[in-house]
Amino acid sequence: MAGLPVWVPDEKTVARSRLGEFLAATGCASPQLLDRKARENPGWFWGEAASWLGLDWQREPNAVVENLDEPQCARWFPGGELNLADNAVDRWVRRGRGGEPALRWESENGERGCLTFAELAVEVDRVARGLLECGVSFGDRVGIQLPMVREAAVASLACAKIGAISVLLFSGFGEAAVAQRLGDSGAVALICADGFPRRGKIVPLREVIAKVAERTPSLRTCVVVALGDADVPGPRLPGEVAWAALGSGPHSGALEAARCPSTHPLMIAYTSGTTGAPKGITLGHAGFAIKAGTDVAWCFDAGEGDVCTWVTDPGWIMSPITVFGGLIAGSAVAVYGGGVDYPDHGRVWRFAEAAGVTMLGVSPTLVRTLARGGEAAVPDEPSTIRVLASSGEPWTPDAFSWLFDRVGRGRIPIINYSGGTEVSGAILSNTTLQPIVPCAFAGPVPGMGAQVADADGAPVTGAVGELVLRSPSPGMPLGFWGEPGRYERTYWSQWPGTWLHGDFAEVDDGVWFIHGRSDDTMNVAGKRLGPAEIEQVVGEHPGVGESAAFGTPDPVKGERVVVFVVPAAQAQRDGLADEVTGLVRQRLGAALSPHSVHVVPSLPRTRSGKILRRVIRAVYLGNSPGDLSSLDNPESIDAVKEVR
């Protein structure tokens, strides 16, 4: 049975709900009724959503959607033209909000600042002009490899303004990962930093970028943001232009936004697994604007007067969802460029307070990291934050409880938000209009057509199954860059007309749960279970900071459970493995008791905070771990090898 709600909206919260506003506009009495009507008529729903956002079309579309009967071929808002940057920034200036805050920032060294919508428009136009002067044209690909600084937000908006296609790159990617993505996309320019501060030290980048350029024949321009140590010499980069010098020549008036067909690519976001080359998921201007904009408004309840931020890297999709989606929804956005637990575990809360953040997004892994700071990590009651949000991986009860009870004092809702790059936002989410059950979701985001399917593709409730989508949505990919056919094979080939997302999910008494990636699933003595089921129990042990569970071959049971744990701060390692084994045996039964538990100093994770269970499993079994370009802490692999 699903647990009881720990948070229920009060009258004030319901009255200000932006989702409630949309429900009233569409004549729906509840989110459930809205979801039902959206399933029955996706074209009606997304047309209403686009209208409600009040977007400025350069050319009105001929229809909402074409080819709806072939969902993998659906094309949204055909004949329309819309520029996302124009709608994110210039639209608000035209509507009289030019003097209001649009972009706030804070650097690790304590520097803070703010641009109004009018000032942001001028800065975006300056950079956009500079890119045009460097020879970047409509449809050209531009890599962006920056930490979470204001220049990253401006760069992505400037590319969108001129119709260039951003290629998202994690700030800490190494030479091979950057070269692979730039080469695959045929990028002609790279916006990068000469280095960046991290935990009080400067991480130099010039040498790395120079090697990337040697491996990328298409790259002819490097725009360099001065974040590193100017006194440290380094090689000059191909076509190097200083960020500050962009668009510095004489010009007059605002730059006209490029006319972008609805399906014109906005960005290429590469996602990778343990095998195969990274997938260049291509997302479009109109689809991303409408999906991300409505998600920020309806799920995070953000709009005019709010300040949204997500503690992440610009290379993870939650950054453009928050920045682009927040601005489209009418909110201001804030960015923090530095270690969130530097110089102490309270840094993120001080940043949020100073920036006036009203919606703060985090990952469960980050929450566990902050919780290790003890009482120093618990802020005074947040005075500006009214919504907390989370994505990236399933919650564990201990992490959820720490954030809800200790940080939010039981009064701030946690919007559990799950979907991904592939759909430009959420499939399942909480909202501020519905009760919140710990670690769960209130239900599907309207318009996504989500269901749980059994092994035959039939709907199922009260049991774990595959998360599927029964209808297309505007935020789905235009395709995979340079790989015709791979998109359909990846998501639409399992069952006719059905998107297979790759997550295990469950509906229990109307409450939804995610149980991790379905390809991480274990089958122990005939029982299928996801790693989250084991990890939730392991996380109840006070000596465990975080854990990763996976299955390995067993001649009798089919698979046996192996668990890696990282001790909590100040916890004793001695005896921890035995205690964890006993706890799982007690809670889940002897059949699911771990075959082995290994205590390690850290677990391999991506820069977005996801623990790479499949990588741990592969290394543990002596197999190739596949693509490790997104790995944030490569030294953690050595610890796994030592216990093989």
Side-chain angles (χ1 to χ4, degrees):
M1 296 288 289
L4 295 175
V6 294
W7 183 88
V8 177
D10 57 21
E11 291 183 3
K12 181 180 178 181
T13 302
V14 171
R16 72 141 287 156
S17 167
R18 301 205 72 196
L19 176 56
E21 178 187 329
F22 184 68
L23 291 176
T26 54
C28 294
S30 67
Q32 292 80 7
L33 177 58
L34 180 65
D35 181 52
R36 192 182 78 201
K37 292 182 69 173
R39 291 171 190 267
E40 295 169 353
N41 192 341
W44 165 83
F45 172 82
W46 288 109
E48 290 290 321
S51 177
W52 181 83
L53 281 172
L55 301 172
D56 285 352
W57 292 88
Q58 297 164 316
R59 178 183 176 185
E60 291 287 336
N62 302 324
V64 175
V65 62
E66 290 180 340
N67 301 327
L68 194 58
D69 56 341
E70 295 182 82
Q72 69 276 16
C73 300
R75 286 295 175 261
W76 292 91
F77 306 100
E81 294 179 346
L82 179 146
N83 185 290
L84 183 144
D86 176 70
N87 277 275
V89 182
D90 301 317
R91 175 171 59 123
W92 300 118
V93 177
R94 292 192 293 268
R95 297 187 185 182
R97 297 183 58 197
E100 298 178 19
L103 175 63
R104 298 182 184 274
W105 68 86
E106 181 175 325
S107 302
E108 189 176 85
N109 65 7
E111 177 192 357
R112 294 170 179 162
C114 175
L115 291 175
T116 65
F117 278 104
E119 291 167 339
L120 179 58
V122 170
E123 180 69 353
V124 169
D125 283 359
R126 177 186 74 82
V127 175
R129 279 195 179 89
L131 292 174
L132 290 171
E133 291 166 0
C134 289
V136 177
S137 303
F138 185 87
D140 280 345
R141 278 74 64 204
V142 178
I144 301 177
Q145 187 182 22
L146 292 168
M148 199 62 176
V149 292
R150 66 182 183 276
E151 289 87 351
V154 172
S156 60
L157 288 163
C159 287
K161 187 78 179 275
I162 63 174
I165 304 167
S166 298
V167 180
L168 305 187
L169 300 165
F170 279 100
S171 61
F173 266 160
E175 171 195 343
V178 176
Q180 192 280 332
R181 287 156 175 79
L182 295 181
D184 181 77
S185 63
V188 302
L190 173 64
I191 302 175
C192 59
D194 56 352
F196 59 88
R198 193 70 174 175
R199 301 184 187 282
K201 298 180 180 179
I202 297 294
V203 179
L205 290 179
R206 275 191 175 273
E207 296 284 352
V208 173
I209 299 301
K211 293 178 181 178
V212 167
E214 292 176 359
R215 298 174 56 171
T216 313
S218 61
L219 191 65
R220 58 176 185 258
T221 300
C222 291
V223 178
V224 180
V225 180
L227 300 177
D229 190 342
D231 295 330
V232 176
R236 185 167 178 83
L237 304 175
E240 181 171 336
V241 179
W243 171 270
L246 284 174
S248 58
H251 56 80
S252 60
L255 179 69
E256 183 178 355
R259 298 181 71 90
C260 295
S262 299
T263 54
H264 181 65
L266 169 70
M267 71 180 85
I268 304 172
Y270 284 89
T271 65
S272 58
T274 55
T275 60
K279 305 184 293 288
I281 293 175
T282 308
L283 305 171
H285 273 251
F288 196 88
I290 292 166
K291 174 56 178 168
T294 52
D295 270 19
V296 170
W298 300 342
C299 300
F300 306 145
D301 196 35
E304 187 173 346
D306 286 306
V307 180
C308 295
T309 194
W310 204 286
V311 181
T312 184
D313 187 281
W316 186 35
I317 196 64
M318 286 313 306
S319 174
I321 287 174
T322 305
V323 173
F324 287 161
L327 293 171
I328 289 288
S331 168
V333 296
V335 297
Y336 171 70
V340 294
D341 56 352
Y342 179 85
D344 56 67
H345 288 72
R347 181 65 184 266
V348 67
W349 311 118
R350 295 194 296 274
F351 153 67
E353 185 79 14
V357 170
T358 59
M359 190 289 288
L360 173 66
V362 294
S363 70
T365 294
L366 173 61
V367 171
R368 287 190 289 269
T369 299
L370 295 177
R372 290 181 205 153
E375 288 301 316
V378 180
D380 295 334
E381 187 166 2
S383 63
T384 64
I385 298 172
R386 62 179 185 82
V387 174
L388 292 162
S390 164
S391 189
E393 60 182 320
W395 275 105
T396 52
D398 57 325
F400 184 97
S401 176
W402 185 84
L403 185 64
F404 183 73
D405 295 324
R406 301 294 304 282
V407 175
R409 289 6 183 231
R411 291 191 287 273
I412 301 177
I414 298 177
I415 305 301
N416 205 7
Y417 180 90
S418 181
T421 303
E422 302 90 337
V423 292
S424 302
I427 295 171
L428 305 176
S429 184
N430 292 327
T431 73
T432 62
L433 200 58
Q434 298 163 281
I436 291 176
V437 173
C439 308
F441 302 87
V445 175
M448 300 306 292
Q451 279 187 343
V452 178
D454 64 16
D456 298 319
V460 61
T461 59
V464 176
E466 293 278 1
L467 178 63
V468 299
L469 306 180
R470 300 299 190 185
S471 61
S473 61
M476 286 178 173
L478 303 173
F480 290 171
W481 187 264
E483 295 185 280
R486 188 180 177 189
Y487 164 60
E488 292 182 26
R489 293 194 304 272
T490 300
Y491 296 111
W492 295 100
S493 61
Q494 182 71 21
W495 298 300
T498 298
W499 168 291
L500 181 64
H501 193 62
D503 281 340
F504 263 144
E506 181 180 9
V507 185
D508 185 356
D509 285 346
V511 179
W512 289 62
F513 295 87
I514 294 286
H515 293 295
R517 298 294 297 173
S518 55
D519 46 9
D520 287 340
T521 302
M522 295 169 273
N523 191 329
V524 181
K527 176 177 173 55
R528 290 199 312 173
L529 73 161
E533 193 169 351
I534 297 287
E535 292 163 9
Q536 286 183 2
V537 174
V538 173
E540 295 176 10
H541 192 291
V544 173
E546 58 186 0
S547 64
F550 55 90
T552 60
D554 183 271
V556 177
K557 294 182 177 182
E559 283 190 294
R560 56 195 182 193
V561 177
V562 175
V563 180
F564 277 67
V565 300
V566 176
Q570 312 303 320
Q572 295 294 322
R573 294 172 60 108
D574 294 343
L576 182 58
D578 291 339
E579 293 173 15
V580 167
T581 301
L583 178 61
V584 176
R585 177 186 293 269
Q586 175 188 356
R587 294 291 304 279
L588 299 181
L592 301 181
S593 177
H595 173 266
S596 58
V597 175
H598 304 284
V599 182
V600 293
S602 63
L603 296 172
R605 63 164 49 85
T606 67
R607 297 187 182 278
S608 61
K610 292 183 180 180
I611 295 173
L612 297 173
R613 296 171 186 84
R614 286 174 289 168
V615 168
I616 301 171
R617 182 180 187 274
V619 173
Y620 182 76
L621 293 175
N623 300 327
S624 170
D627 178 25
L628 297 178
S629 59
S630 62
L631 192 62
D632 185 46
N633 52 344
E635 73 282 355
S636 62
I637 295 293
D638 295 333
V640 178
K641 291 178 179 178
E642 290 177 5
V643 299
R644 229 167 40 197

